[in-house]
Amino acid sequence: MLYQLAARMTTKTQDKETFHSILQQLIEKTAHDHPYHTLPIILALANANKDVMIAYNKKAGRLSRNAPQVSDASHADQDRMQAAASMVDRLRSGKTDRIIRDMEKLSDAYIELAEWDVSQFKKVTKPINFPTNLQICTLTNLQTAVATVDIPVDLNCRYGNIVTIQKFELTFKLAGGINLPKIIKCIGSDGVTRRQLVKGKDDLRQDAVMQQVFGLVNHLLAQNPETRQRQLHIRRYKVVPLSQRSGILEWCEGTVPLGLYLLGNQKTDFGAHKRYRPDDKTSLQCRRLMQDSHSGDGNSRYRTFLKVCSGHFKPVFRHFFFEKFLEPAVWFEKRLAYSRSAATCSIVGYVVGLGDRHVQNILIDCNSAELVHIDLGVAFEQGRILPTPETIPFRLTRDLVDGMGVAGVEGVFRRCCEKTMEVMRHNQEALLAVLEVAFLECCLRSTYDWTMSPMKALALQKQQDKLEADGLGGDTNTSATVGNMSSFNIDQMDITGGRGTRPSRTRRR
């Protein structure tokens, strides 16, 4: 509830002095008792506009904090930032003083790193050295927790075994994408090295809210006997917003993007399609076939689509389980876990309108075979207003179905979908409460436009097109196929390969 409480902080109490006085006391008491959970949220509000205030001076090679404080922040945002900053000043006493000072240093270093322009390194694949003038190079032995580690709430308010930050490795890698997020390594006081993803020029608050929704869904699924017996849940990861335009994310260890497994990077290694079906056309060739037929009518495009699916590009994802799990019992267990995970993620993603589900945004855990959805910034049907609208409810292409075995979408997958939908329908009030409070209070009152702007939509679609043009766009049933064929009657298509699962029919149900 801290996100919802902190969003109501303001300096203009008007006729609600008693409410805001009690709210301030409650948050401050929580910050004293549970500093590692509360202080990052307050600091993120206080630093909401620091991205604009801190500009990187390339000529001097250092940070310029004298940058003009230009901001498009609304009055509500400014009041909230001022109220959060005042609360931080009041908390600088007692046991939280050292923690606050170290958290401020860490937050400033992360924001500086997020805003650092690394476009000159975008083609470099090896580790890159940090310049010595970055603050993150000087941080050692901080009395603050590793941001991407989950800390259980202690009812006794005793946090004696916290994994704190010892130092950061002085090299980083780039994760690709438009804004070139940085992959860094944080060494904790327990000696474990953890990778973190530092993102700039991107608002991660929606990702954080979606992770809250996923957490609530997991709680509801664990309470229901049938879904608990099937061990249905959504794989989560930690998202920590630092400001309106920067944040850090937990790196999902032991996972690989579906696109990387299916297609490889086509420069240093080959994907499963090339290894197991070398005579098939490449995904890029199939994409060009679809583009060449785009000038024809709907029937000709549909025939080309069927021709590509039947003769030029067959699914191969079942080989993932043969490669990773050699014992028959383990192979069956992991394939079952995959089907359950795919069902849960599909239904929850459908309910919240999650879009941008190309195969670089869906990871699979090489140990548990569970799916992990990342990059959750396109939600609540925003994908429908992309230049090429996303009309499908969720991604269920032939390669994804191929991994479920001979039964396909029938059996385990269908039953888990039904049970997940039942739980979400029966608990719709709880889900709506979280979403309504989080978005109406936090988002609509903020300066960030949580609806998809035309420029953002165009940039997002261009990024997807570039991935596909580079051969990383997906399993060619394909993300290109589904997107480019959305201009004709998609009722004719059974893109999933499963009976009764056409997108428009599912959406009407």
Side-chain angles (χ1 to χ4, degrees):
M1 298 300 295
L2 279 173
Y3 286 98
Q4 286 75 30
L5 294 176
R8 290 171 166 80
M9 295 171 58
T10 181
T11 57
K12 297 181 178 180
T13 58
Q14 297 177 349
D15 297 329
K16 301 179 181 179
E17 291 84 0
T18 303
F19 168 78
H20 287 286
S21 175
I22 296 175
L23 178 66
Q24 297 272 354
Q25 295 175 21
L26 176 61
I27 297 176
E28 289 184 24
K29 176 173 173 52
T30 309
H32 280 294
D33 293 341
H34 308 279
Y36 299 104
H37 298 85
T38 310
L39 291 177
I41 299 174
I42 302 175
L43 281 176
L45 289 175
N47 295 335
N49 206 32
K50 186 160 285 189
D51 310 270
V52 181
M53 298 170 59
I54 299 179
Y56 190 77
N57 189 331
K58 294 182 179 179
K59 294 182 179 180
R62 58 181 175 80
L63 281 180
S64 174
R65 292 181 180 271
N66 297 321
Q69 299 184 15
V70 180
S71 174
D72 58 351
S74 66
H75 293 296
D77 281 325
Q78 294 174 353
D79 292 338
R80 196 183 300 114
M81 285 187 285
Q82 185 177 352
S86 300
M87 179 174 292
V88 170
D89 291 335
R90 292 195 299 272
L91 290 171
R92 296 180 188 277
S93 60
K95 64 178 182 179
T96 60
D97 181 45
R98 172 69 187 275
I99 299 175
I100 290 177
R101 285 190 284 110
D102 285 352
M103 280 189 179
E104 287 180 323
K105 291 179 184 177
L106 182 64
S107 181
D108 287 348
Y110 275 136
I111 295 175
E112 174 191 9
L113 178 60
E115 292 297 313
W116 177 40
D117 183 13
V118 291
S119 56
Q120 69 272 23
F121 303 119
K122 62 182 178 181
K123 294 185 179 179
V124 180
T125 57
K126 297 180 180 180
I128 307 167
N129 293 323
F130 282 125
T132 56
N133 61 324
L134 287 180
Q135 294 183 46
I136 201 166
C137 300
T138 63
L139 297 180
T140 57
N141 299 322
L142 299 180
Q143 293 299 313
T144 183
V146 177
T148 52
V149 172
D150 271 325
I151 303 174
V153 174
D154 189 340
L155 299 182
N156 297 318
C157 306
R158 299 173 183 173
Y159 296 96
N161 297 319
I162 297 298
V163 179
T164 57
I165 297 176
Q166 185 177 4
K167 63 178 181 179
F168 291 91
E169 288 194 5
L170 301 181
T171 60
F172 71 99
K173 287 186 176 182
L174 297 179
I178 296 178
N179 297 322
L180 297 175
K182 296 96 177 171
I183 305 171
I184 64 175
K185 293 183 178 180
C186 176
I187 302 175
S189 57
D190 57 354
V192 177
T193 300
R194 298 172 175 86
R195 285 191 285 183
Q196 300 173 339
L197 189 68
V198 182
K199 298 188 72 173
K201 300 180 178 65
D202 192 7
D203 197 318
L204 296 182
R205 289 175 294 176
Q206 180 165 324
D207 291 64
V209 171
M210 294 302 295
Q211 291 298 326
Q212 291 183 53
V213 174
F214 291 169
L216 176 59
V217 169
N218 286 343
H219 176 70
L220 298 175
L221 292 174
Q223 287 184 324
N224 184 274
E226 294 189 77
T227 53
R228 182 173 63 248
Q229 181 182 4
R230 291 177 170 86
Q231 299 178 348
L232 301 185
H233 66 280
I234 300 179
R235 175 78 173 269
R236 301 172 62 207
Y237 56 91
K238 191 80 174 287
V239 180
V240 184
L242 299 170
S243 65
Q244 287 185 356
R245 293 177 2 127
S246 61
I248 56 177
L249 301 96
E250 176 187 359
W251 185 264
C252 299
E253 298 288 351
T255 62
V256 60
L258 291 179
L260 185 61
Y261 172 77
L262 293 172
L263 300 174
N265 57 24
Q266 300 197 358
K267 293 181 180 179
T268 60
D269 63 342
F270 296 108
H273 277 287
K274 187 68 174 179
R275 296 197 308 269
Y276 294 106
R277 297 193 60 86
D279 296 332
D280 280 359
K281 293 183 180 296
T282 65
S283 62
L284 183 57
Q285 290 172 329
C286 294
R287 175 179 170 84
R288 286 171 179 167
L289 285 174
M290 290 301 307
Q291 289 177 334
D292 292 341
S293 68
H294 206 60
S295 58
D297 58 11
N299 289 330
S300 65
R301 292 198 299 270
Y302 181 49
R303 286 193 298 269
T304 304
F305 168 76
L306 293 180
K307 182 179 178 181
V308 169
C309 291
S310 61
H312 299 316
F313 206 85
K314 294 293 185 68
V316 295
F317 191 54
R318 61 185 178 277
H319 294 286
F320 173 85
F321 300 93
F322 294 136
E323 291 178 2
K324 303 295 183 181
F325 313 110
L326 303 181
E327 296 182 8
V330 177
W331 165 83
F332 180 78
E333 177 188 355
K334 300 306 180 183
R335 198 189 67 179
L336 193 63
Y338 162 75
S339 299
R340 291 169 171 170
S341 176
T344 308
C345 293
S346 296
I347 294 302
V348 175
Y350 165 63
V351 171
V352 300
L354 188 61
D356 192 26
R357 295 300 89 202
H358 59 77
V359 286
Q360 297 300 323
N361 281 348
I362 304 177
L363 316 179
I364 185 165
D365 193 305
C366 295
N367 299 314
S368 66
E370 295 176 334
L371 294 181
V372 186
H373 285 255
I374 63 174
D375 199 355
L376 310 174
V378 181
F380 300 99
E381 303 291 355
Q382 294 180 23
R384 284 182 164 270
I385 60 174
L386 290 172
T388 302
E390 296 182 349
T391 58
I392 58 174
F394 46 80
R395 188 180 189 93
L396 193 58
T397 47
R398 293 179 305 142
D399 264 309
L400 290 176
V401 176
D402 188 62
M404 300 175 187
V406 293
V409 298
E410 305 299 336
V412 174
F413 179 83
R414 178 181 290 275
R415 193 64 174 164
C416 291
C417 284
E418 293 170 352
K419 293 302 177 183
T420 302
M421 181 64 81
E422 285 180 11
V423 169
M424 297 194 72
R425 279 177 173 170
H426 293 160
N427 296 276
Q428 55 183 305
E429 291 83 5
L431 291 167
L432 287 173
V434 172
L435 292 173
E436 183 179 17
V437 172
F439 280 92
L440 292 182
E441 191 65 30
C442 299
C443 308
L444 297 181
R445 286 173 52 187
S446 74
T447 60
Y448 181 77
D449 186 5
W450 292 80
T451 59
M452 182 77 69
S453 67
M455 292 301 295
K456 181 179 178 181
L458 182 61
L460 180 64
Q461 200 98 61
K462 284 183 177 179
Q463 180 187 12
Q464 295 181 12
D465 291 343
K466 184 178 184 303
L467 285 171
E468 291 166 352
D470 292 340
L472 295 176
D475 42 355
T476 303
N477 325 28
T478 107
S479 55
T481 303
V482 171
N484 290 333
M485 297 194 66
S486 60
S487 57
F488 79 97
N489 185 9
I490 202 165
D491 278 331
Q492 303 172 39
M493 298 169 53
D494 187 353
I495 62 169
T496 65
R499 176 170 53 84
T501 51
R502 293 184 177 90
S504 57
R505 192 179 298 172
T506 304
R507 192 171 295 279
R508 281 197 296 269
R509 275 205 303 271

